[in-house]
Amino acid sequence: MVINVRFRAFIAVEVAPTERLLSLLNDLGKIGPGLKPVEKENVHVTLKFLGDIEERLVTDVERCMRDSVAGVAPFTIFLKGTGYFPPKGPAKTLWVGIEGAEPMVHIANRLEKDLKDLGFEPEERPFKPHLTVGRVKDNKAAFASEMAVHRYKDEVFGPQVVSSIKLKRSILGRFGPTYSDIIEVQLH
């Protein structure tokens, strides 16, 4: 009997938090229980959320990852500015903007195409690179969250060199997700 082990997964670019980014996360952490800031060890840019996948697909996903970065050399992105989604109504997701992300968009678009061929649902919206820094869980925290983000709207958080993409496992827990690396594919 073959057992299909499933796990929650996504493909991402990891980001090392800069001093200014840590300052933002710290400020968000002071808002209270209605806002869940991203833990500093979990800061990343999601290229493609896969949901629950079967372990047997990991080799095929790795092939798609390798194909998506073919011909893409390491590049530098710049973390700058903040905002929130949705643009109208109370904030739900707080983000940091990314400049110089054209190679990241290229990789994400290739992943989207190749993974669709494996049966993964395509995204309805085009990929827009951003770094999620918090999720508003209670509308009572939305105004304070929006004000905190507004204070950093012109902030330059610094450069980041993108030299790999990773397939990550996500285990949802009582205090938030725990991530672990399954595969790392280097850019070259």
Side-chain angles (χ1 to χ4, degrees):
M1 180 167 129
V2 175
I3 298 174
N4 287 324
V5 177
R6 298 178 72 82
F7 63 95
R8 184 177 170 92
F10 61 94
I11 299 170
V13 169
E14 286 188 343
V15 173
T18 62
E19 190 174 316
R20 291 305 301 153
L21 190 55
L22 290 172
S23 178
L24 169 62
L25 293 173
N26 186 47
D27 283 356
L28 294 177
K30 295 174 184 173
I31 290 175
L35 171 69
K36 174 80 173 94
V38 172
E39 296 83 4
K40 65 182 179 184
E41 61 274 6
N42 288 345
V43 176
H44 67 275
V45 178
T46 302
L47 297 173
K48 175 68 177 167
F49 178 72
L50 301 174
D52 288 336
I53 71 167
E54 293 180 11
E55 223 170 60
R56 67 178 178 78
L57 289 176
V58 168
T59 303
D60 292 329
V61 170
E62 180 179 8
R63 179 184 42 76
C64 292
M65 291 170 65
R66 291 192 186 288
D67 289 349
S68 75
V69 301
V72 180
F75 58 96
T76 301
I77 57 173
F78 299 89
L79 305 177
K80 183 178 180 210
T82 55
Y84 56 87
F85 300 128
K88 294 183 179 174
K92 296 290 183 200
T93 302
L94 312 179
W95 53 261
V96 168
I98 301 175
E99 294 180 352
E102 293 79 9
M104 193 180 291
V105 172
H106 174 76
I107 292 168
N109 289 341
R110 286 177 76 178
L111 279 170
E112 190 71 47
K113 179 185 170 300
D114 290 351
L115 290 166
K116 180 181 176 190
D117 294 342
L118 288 180
F120 290 97
E121 285 293 316
E123 293 295 325
E124 293 179 11
R125 295 178 292 229
F127 177 73
K128 183 173 166 106
H130 65 279
L131 184 68
T132 298
V133 291
R135 298 198 185 278
V136 179
K137 302 294 185 185
D138 181 343
N139 281 347
K140 293 175 189 167
F143 181 74
S145 300
E146 291 166 12
M147 291 299 98
V149 164
H150 184 74
R151 287 192 299 274
Y152 288 87
K153 71 181 176 71
D154 297 319
E155 186 73 37
V156 176
F157 295 96
Q160 294 278 321
V161 175
V162 177
S163 59
S164 68
I165 64 173
K166 293 184 176 185
L167 174 63
K168 311 273 289 178
R169 178 189 316 256
S170 173
I171 298 172
L172 300 177
R174 184 172 163 204
F175 300 107
T178 302
Y179 302 144
S180 58
D181 297 345
I182 303 298
I183 295 169
E184 181 173 15
V185 175
Q186 298 292 326
L187 278 62
H188 44 73

